[in-house]
Amino acid sequence: MSGDPDALIVTMKKVASTLKAAELPFALAGGFAVYARGGPASTHDVDFLIRPSDVQSALGACVDAGLRPEQPPEDWLVKVYDGECLVDLIFRPSEREVTVAMLERAEEMPVEAVRMPVLSATDLLLNKLLAFTEHYCDLTTVLPLGRALREQIDWDLVHDATAHSPYAEAFLLAAERLGIAPPGTLRLDGLGHDAGPASTGAAHSESEPEPSSDPAPAAV
């Protein structure tokens, strides 16, 4: 699998052009979407989001364009290869099925001279946060993303969409204390806590908060 960023950029443009020609809704996601929005470039693979109903059409279009398909054991994506460059076609990131609304939130912009829909900064962050579980919760993967794209993120939507996740709560607390998220982003009163805003450092009440009973989302 190629880690050559120049080769991956060529592949990204090829697949985006292929999906556009096939008139399939999609959005650039993952590290290259962060790159397109002003963050650092990915050197691992290329990610696109597609609707579940478009999986076979997208695979067929990519095969017709000369890419090699692969069906992985995971049930939330399919893969295609352009030589050694890997492309993930994802239809259920972090147990969030790709919907028309999610793709409509993407913004069309030029990426290395090819115009394509780029996933919103809010959805990029949500897909990272909702992948956290008790077995994987690496804030170093999301704090730089939040810092680089903070002005593009709908922080209220992030809070509301992750209110069930104690792992996302830990990120929002850190992000607010570090000045990445706006003051008051983490509304603890809506999360079963008896506390003031996270940024004030207000003390918890003497009774300990009840742990969340909601299951953590599956990792992506």
Side-chain angles (χ1 to χ4, degrees), residues 72-181:
E74 296 87 358
D75 63 356
W76 47 271
L77 83 168
V78 292
K79 298 174 181 284
V80 292
Y81 283 87
D82 180 26
E84 295 299 312
C85 293
L86 170 63
V87 179
D88 288 337
L89 301 174
I90 302 168
F91 52 88
R92 197 172 64 249
S94 304
E95 297 302 321
R96 301 172 70 216
E97 186 170 293
V98 175
T99 62
V100 172
M102 186 184 298
L103 295 180
E104 286 180 345
R105 287 196 295 269
E107 179 184 358
E108 185 167 309
M109 59 178 60
V111 186
E112 296 294 330
V114 174
R115 293 193 67 85
M116 65 184 77
V118 178
L119 196 65
S120 73
T122 301
D123 283 313
L124 284 168
L125 181 58
L126 283 174
N127 287 344
K128 289 282 191 181
L129 293 178
L130 292 174
F132 284 170
T133 69
E134 62 184 1
H135 301 294
Y136 172 75
C137 184
D138 185 358
L139 296 185
T140 64
T141 65
V142 288
L143 286 171
L145 186 159
R147 188 180 299 278
L149 305 183
R150 58 187 171 186
E151 294 181 354
Q152 303 175 49
I153 293 169
D154 182 337
W155 291 100
D156 287 337
L157 192 156
V158 169
H159 173 276
D160 294 344
T162 62
H164 65 282
S165 170
Y167 313 105
E169 180 184 336
F171 164 78
L172 289 175
L173 175 61
E176 191 173 331
R177 294 282 177 87
L178 292 169
I180 297 172

Side-chain angles (χ1 to χ4, degrees), residues 18-34:
T18 297
L19 296 174
K20 286 173 64 176
E23 299 184 346
L24 295 171
F26 72 94
L28 180 66
F32 273 108
V34 176

